[in-house]
Amino acid sequence: MKRVFSGIQPTNILHIGNYLGAIKNWIELQDKYSCIFSVVDLHAMTVKTDPKTFGDNILMMAKTYLAFGIDPKKSLIFRQSEVPAHTELTWILNTIAKISELERMTQFKDKAKQHKENVNMGLFGYPVLMASDILLYDTNLVPVGEDQVQHIELTRTLAERFNRLYGETFVLPEPMVKKHGARIMGLDDPSKKMSKSSPNAGNYIALLDDPAVASKKIMRAVTDSGSEIKSGANKPALTNLLVIYSLLSGKDIKDIEKEYAGKGYADFKKGLAEVVSGFLSGFQKKFNVIKDSDVRDILADGEKKANEIAERKMRDVKTKIGLTF
Ligand code: TYM
C-alpha cells in the first residue's frame, strides 16, 4: 500500500481553506492508502507561540482531525514533537540543503516580510523539517494545498541528493493537489490566499467561527463588478465563492450558476452563507463531543507507532552515512 503523509500547524485559527485544500482530501484517502497525519507543532514555533495556549491548540488540532473523520483505526495521528527522529533527520538534511535553495522559498519570503522582528533560523530551515517529516516514513504522496508544492519539490531535491551521496535511502514523494480548493482566496481580497495570519478576521472563515458570524463575513465578502453569478478569470472573487459553495455542498459549479441565473449577488451570498453555517454547525457539533482524554490516548498510540517507523529509518540513515561502526 502506498504511503500518504501530511500535516497542519497547530495555530489557533484553522480556516475553511485548510479544510478544503487539505483535510477534506485526506478523509477520502484513508481506505486506499496507508495514511499518517501529523500535528506539526515544531513548525508552528517558527512564529511566536504562547506557552499558555500552545498545548490547547495542539490538542484542538488533533481533535479537528478526528471530528472531520480521520479514523485512528485506519490512519496514524501523532504530534511531531513526540517523535525525536524529525529533528534528528533535519540536522542531517541541513548539511546537504543549500542556503540558496532555502532563500528561494516563497513562504519564507512572505513570512519573513510579515514577521520582520523574528526572522529566525527555524523559519528559514522550515522546509528542511518538512522534508524530514515526509522522508522518514517512505512517503509516496503528500496531499496539500498549492502553497506547499514548492516545499515538496525541495524535499525531492534533498532526497535525490542524499540518495546520490550515500546510496538509495529515501523514497521520492509526489505532491497531491486537487484541481479545486487547492488555493482558497481571502474573502476580503481575492488576489491573496485565505490565511490564518491575516490581520483581518474578515479574510477567513475559521472552523470555530460562530455560524452567525461566518454568515456576516460571507455577506460582507468582496465581489466583482457586474451582477451575474458566473465563474471565470474576470470574476476572481465570485469564482472563489463558487468554489467554496461547490466543495461544501457537493454541487457542480455549473449547477450552482444555473440555480442563481437571473438572481443577484445578495441572493447568492445568502445561499452560500446557509451552506457555510450548516457546514460549521455540523463540524462543531462533532468537535465539541470529543473528549480530551480520548485524543490523548489516540495520540499516544500514534506516537508509539510513528516512533517505531521513524527510528528504523534513522538507523538506516546513520548506517548509510557511516555514523555507526
Ligand atoms: P499549514 O498549516 O500552513 O496549512 C495546512 C494545509 O492547508 C493548506 N492551505 C490551503 N489550502 C487551500 N487554500 C488556502 N488558502 C490554504 N491555506 C493553507 C496548506 O497547503 C496545507 O496543506 N508546511 C505545512 C505543514 C507541514 C506539512 C508537513 C505538510 C509540515 N510538515 C509534511 C505536508 C507534509 C504548512 O505550513 O501547512
Side-chain angles (χ1 to χ4, degrees):
M1 230 193 215
K2 282 193 173 174
R3 170 87 80 212
V4 162
F5 184 101
S6 200
I8 300 188
Q9 300 181 65
T11 44
N12 55 349
I13 308 155
L14 210 65
H15 54 67
I16 53 167
N18 298 123
Y19 169 68
L20 297 175
I23 310 180
K24 184 172 187 285
N25 310 323
W26 302 357
I27 300 157
E28 301 156 9
L29 300 172
Q30 294 186 98
D31 292 317
K32 262 177 73 193
Y33 300 100
S34 158
C35 294
I36 304 184
F37 301 116
S38 181
V39 178
V40 287
D41 45 7
L42 297 175
H43 273 112
M45 292 177 64
T46 54
V47 298
K48 206 165 168 293
T49 46
D50 178 355
K52 286 199 205 78
T53 53
F54 197 23
D56 286 345
N57 289 341
I58 295 168
L59 189 88
M60 263 168 57
M61 191 68 245
K63 207 182 263 191
T64 301
Y65 289 3
L66 297 169
F68 275 129
I70 300 298
D71 179 353
K73 286 195 206 83
K74 297 180 188 161
S75 305
L76 215 147
I77 307 173
F78 76 100
R79 282 169 294 177
Q80 184 189 36
S81 60
E82 285 299 308
V83 181
H86 290 243
T87 42
E88 205 179 354
L89 182 59
T90 298
W91 179 259
I92 289 171
L93 294 181
N94 272 339
T95 65
I96 62 164
K98 302 209 163 86
I99 287 179
S100 57
E101 286 167 336
L102 292 170
E103 275 172 343
R104 277 202 292 276
M105 296 293 115
T106 50
Q107 184 167 311
F108 168 70
K109 288 193 263 187
D110 288 349
K111 288 211 174 167
K113 248 189 251 155
Q114 258 173 43
H115 303 274
K116 282 201 184 74
E117 73 306 333
N118 186 23
V119 184
N120 59 71
M121 286 291 284
L123 189 64
F124 189 61
Y126 178 114
V128 185
L129 178 59
M130 180 161 162
S132 302
D133 298 341
I134 296 169
L135 297 177
L136 273 174
Y137 301 92
D138 291 335
T139 303
N140 304 100
L141 298 165
V142 190
V144 282
E146 208 174 82
D147 60 342
Q148 296 303 314
V149 171
Q150 196 185 27
H151 291 161
I152 299 166
E153 279 159 8
L154 180 74
T155 301
R156 288 175 65 90
T157 304
L158 296 180
E160 268 172 342
R161 191 171 297 150
F162 187 98
N163 289 351
R164 197 167 2 93
L165 287 168
Y166 298 112
E168 206 55 35
T169 309
F170 294 123
V171 171
L172 301 191
E174 303 270 354
M176 200 180 199
V177 179
K178 282 264 161 127
K179 192 160 159 250
H180 289 300
R183 195 170 165 80
I184 299 293
M185 309 311 275
L187 299 180
D188 58 344
D189 178 358
S191 69
K192 296 205 183 89
K193 68 168 187 167
M194 185 176 282
S195 166
K196 44 195 166 190
S197 52
S198 169
N200 174 13
N203 167 279
Y204 52 79
I205 304 279
L207 295 177
L208 293 177
D209 267 351
D210 184 311
V213 172
S215 296
K216 279 200 193 115
K217 288 185 184 178
I218 299 282
M219 296 312 287
R220 262 189 251 124
V222 166
T223 42
D224 312 287
S225 53
S227 59
E228 220 187 341
I229 311 302
K230 198 129 195 75
S231 66
N234 60 340
K235 289 210 173 214
L238 212 64
T239 302
N240 187 43
L241 297 180
L242 276 162
V243 167
I244 297 173
Y245 197 132
S246 160
L247 290 172
L248 290 182
S249 66
K251 290 182 190 169
D252 263 9
I253 291 189
K254 288 273 160 271
D255 292 335
I256 303 168
E257 287 173 350
K258 266 189 222 141
E259 199 177 320
Y260 287 96
K263 295 187 182 154
Y265 287 160
D267 282 328
F268 168 70
K269 281 177 161 181
K270 230 188 259 162
L272 175 59
E274 265 166 40
V275 169
V276 169
S277 344
F279 162 76
L280 291 180
S281 334
F283 163 72
Q284 291 169 12
K285 231 180 254 157
K286 290 190 192 133
F287 180 90
N288 288 331
V289 296
I290 300 175
K291 287 202 207 96
D292 291 358
S293 56
D294 289 344
V295 181
R296 288 199 176 89
D297 290 347
I298 289 166
L299 287 173
D301 185 48
E303 280 146 18
K304 192 165 161 275
K305 291 179 187 148
N307 268 307
E308 279 165 20
I309 306 172
E311 278 168 19
R312 212 180 311 130
K313 195 75 192 173
M314 278 315 294
R315 275 198 296 278
D316 182 25
V317 167
K318 285 180 171 172
T319 307
K320 292 275 178 38
I321 294 174
L323 277 168
T324 46
F325 55 85

